[in-house]
Amino acid sequence: MYKNVIFFDVDGTIVKNTFISPKTIKMFEDLQKKEYLLVLNTGRSYISVKSLAEQLKINHILCSSGGCLYINNHIVYQDYIPYHQLKKIVNYFDCCGLIYSLECQDCIYIQKNTKDKHIKRIQYLNQGRLDEEILIKKFNENYKELESLEFIKVNKIHWFEDKIMYQNKAPLNYQQICQKFGRSYQIVPRNIERKRS
């Protein structure tokens, strides 16, 4: 029996600049010894926090901005964008030339021929903190080029406005995407997901 449940945000809370401090790891160990139920609560997809959860020995994750829930490392709830809606958004982004990724629980799909741009962005954000070889290895483990929209369960679409990914600037911005899809989808800067009531 657990004393209580504690939810932890990931980015900017327990993880700073892609790293977790030894003090934070120790705190998690101490809380687990005191029989607290610890849950990661993040906007990220499962695949992008799986190694962190393993490192912290956490088996419960609320991820994809509430679109997916894992209890004891088993998925018990998943909300995803239906195929016809996904196709509409992706076609619009493709026609406009916007770079995006499709976040699923097993991997993150990227458009064909954009791998170098994604790696360049991650290298820039990493700022040399993680060895280049390890960075590319992790990318290859978690990301796949998109072949087809059929049969994939997308929890969230992440679009990129980072100048480093374009020759000039992104062809669409947050306001334009809100104008196009804001009535039907929950939109936060750089993400589209299904509205949940």
Side-chain angles (χ1 to χ4, degrees):
M1 189 64 135
Y2 294 104
K3 285 183 181 178
N4 219 327
V5 179
I6 305 173
F7 289 82
F8 290 91
D9 177 50
V10 175
D11 294 308
T13 306
I14 62 170
V15 174
K16 307 266 185 188
N17 298 322
T18 70
F19 291 95
I20 185 164
S21 76
K23 285 182 182 179
T24 302
I25 294 170
K26 173 87 169 87
M27 177 199 65
F28 274 85
E29 291 170 354
D30 291 346
L31 288 170
Q32 287 164 334
K33 285 177 189 171
K34 293 177 183 175
E35 298 181 353
Y36 285 93
L37 176 64
L38 308 180
V39 181
L40 291 183
N41 184 15
T42 182
R44 290 194 205 182
S45 63
Y46 177 75
I47 193 73
S48 65
V49 293
K50 184 180 174 192
S51 63
L52 173 66
E54 289 168 353
Q55 180 183 6
L56 296 173
K57 298 177 180 71
I58 292 180
N59 302 319
H60 313 290
I61 304 169
L62 181 58
C63 53
S64 297
S65 300
C68 198
L69 177 62
Y70 283 78
I71 302 291
N72 291 320
N73 293 320
H74 297 290
I75 193 165
V76 296
Y77 171 79
Q78 181 174 7
D79 187 21
Y80 54 91
I81 301 171
Y83 173 76
H84 70 281
Q85 293 175 0
L86 178 63
K87 188 174 179 180
K88 179 180 175 182
I89 297 166
V90 166
N91 285 344
Y92 178 71
F93 283 0
D94 285 341
C95 286
C96 292
L98 190 67
I99 298 171
Y100 58 87
S101 62
L102 306 176
E103 295 186 8
C104 302
Q105 296 311 306
D106 58 341
C107 75
I108 299 170
Y109 290 95
I110 59 173
Q111 296 142 290
K112 286 188 177 191
N113 305 315
T114 62
K115 180 178 176 178
D116 290 342
K117 292 177 181 185
H118 285 278
I119 289 175
K120 186 176 180 181
R121 177 183 175 273
I122 292 169
Q123 288 169 327
Y124 173 77
L125 294 174
N126 181 50
Q127 298 178 353
R129 288 185 287 267
L130 192 62
D131 178 69
E132 202 79 10
E133 248 179 67
I134 294 170
L135 193 80
I136 291 170
K137 181 180 181 250
K138 283 186 172 207
F139 182 89
N140 290 329
E141 288 171 358
N142 295 332
Y143 290 77
K144 293 180 185 173
E145 284 192 342
L146 181 64
E147 296 291 330
S148 168
L149 293 175
E150 291 184 275
F151 312 115
I152 61 172
K153 292 183 178 181
V154 177
N155 299 106
K156 187 167 62 172
I157 302 170
H158 185 102
W159 76 84
F160 300 92
E161 295 180 29
D162 309 66
K163 290 179 185 177
I164 198 164
M165 297 182 84
Y166 300 93
Q167 287 183 348
N168 293 317
K169 65 177 190 163
L172 295 172
N173 62 36
Y174 174 68
Q175 288 78 15
Q176 292 167 311
I177 293 168
C178 282
Q179 284 176 342
K180 179 77 175 171
F181 298 110
R183 290 191 189 118
S184 305
Y185 302 93
Q186 179 177 332
I187 302 175
V188 296
R190 299 190 298 198
N191 292 310
I192 291 183
E193 54 198 53
R194 229 175 129 185
K195 276 192 176 177
R196 295 185 245 305
S197 6

